[in-house]
């Protein structure tokens, strides 16, 4: 069925019809079936190839909705994990920052969205899971650096990264506000 609607078949059919018209005018003579088939084949060969449809990737709003859902899943996971007070406090700050950034209408830049997705889907779960696993081993074989320090450093680095996104959004809104003020002032002078 796909071939019947293809460019190759349609072009070949148009050329084949031209061959039938030639046979009715008498220009093809007794070889008209060969000419019709040859014209169909030539048309099918010169037709442009089919283009596959462009992939439909989710837009920023759909990605943000999926990320919010993943953030809810991450929160449920983190609620079950026992963390030391310092790391729990740092994680709470990070959670608040993520929650603010994931509000609809704020993050639309693909790079910022990618950084948040990586943090929510990979970095935070991996940091916490590694802490939980390492903490167990450090009880068995003491003497190494406490895993709490690494977790706090990892959460601090993630907080700084999310803070840079928030600062960029704040700068963008400040520029937008200044531009609107200039526009209104210029409009008032006209």
């Amino acid at each position: 069925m796909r071939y019947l609607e293809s460019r190759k078949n349609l072009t070949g059919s148009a050329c084949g019809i031209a061959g039938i018209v030639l046979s009715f005018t008498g220009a093809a003579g007794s070889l008209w079936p060969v000419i019709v088939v040859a014209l169909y084949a030539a048309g099918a060969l010169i037709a442009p190839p089919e283009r596959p449809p462009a992939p439909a990737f989710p837009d920023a709003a759909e990605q943000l909705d999926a990320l919010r859902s993943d953030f809810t899943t991450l929160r449920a996971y983190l609620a079950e994990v026992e963390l030391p007070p310092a790391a729990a406090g740092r994680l709470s700050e990070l959670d608040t920052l993520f929650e603010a950034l994931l509000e609809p209408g704020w993050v639309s830049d693909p790079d910022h969205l990618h950084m948040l997705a990586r943090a929510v889907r990979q970095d935070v779960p991996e940091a916490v899971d590694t802490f939980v696993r390492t903490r167990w081993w450090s009880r068995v074989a003491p003497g190494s650096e406490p895993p709490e320090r690494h977790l706090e450093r990892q959460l601090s680095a993630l907080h700084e990264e999310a803070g840079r996104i928030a600062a960029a959004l704040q700068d963008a809104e400040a520029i937008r506000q200044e531009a609107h003020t200039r526009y209104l002032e210029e409009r008032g002078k006209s």
Side-chain angles (χ1 to χ4, degrees), residues 41-176:
L45 288 174
I46 64 169
E50 293 293 321
R51 289 185 305 236
F57 295 112
D59 64 359
E62 292 171 334
Q63 290 177 357
L64 198 55
D65 289 341
L67 186 54
R68 273 193 220 101
S69 174
D70 292 344
F71 182 59
T72 302
T73 303
L74 176 64
R75 279 181 156 172
Y77 164 70
L78 295 174
E80 296 178 18
V81 177
E82 183 183 330
L83 298 173
R90 199 63 177 157
L91 191 59
S92 176
E93 293 171 4
L94 187 60
D95 179 77
T96 303
L97 188 53
F98 282 162
E99 184 177 23
L101 290 171
L102 291 174
E103 284 294 318
W106 287 114
V107 176
S108 59
D109 182 272
D111 291 333
H112 292 162
L113 192 59
H114 174 71
M115 289 168 58
L116 281 173
R118 184 182 60 216
V120 167
R121 294 177 178 148
Q122 181 181 352
D123 296 337
V124 172
E126 186 174 330
V128 172
D129 185 57
T130 302
F131 164 75
V132 170
R133 291 170 185 264
T134 307
R135 182 178 62 180
W136 183 85
W137 282 107
S138 66
R139 289 180 190 157
V140 175
S144 60
E145 186 176 8
E148 293 85 9
R149 286 193 197 145
H150 284 287
L151 179 61
E152 290 170 23
R153 288 172 43 203
Q154 291 167 357
L155 294 176
S156 294
L158 289 169
H159 191 273
E160 287 176 22
E161 184 178 59
R164 284 193 297 273
I165 294 172
L169 291 174
Q170 183 180 9
D171 291 345
E173 289 301 315
I175 291 170
R176 182 174 167 220

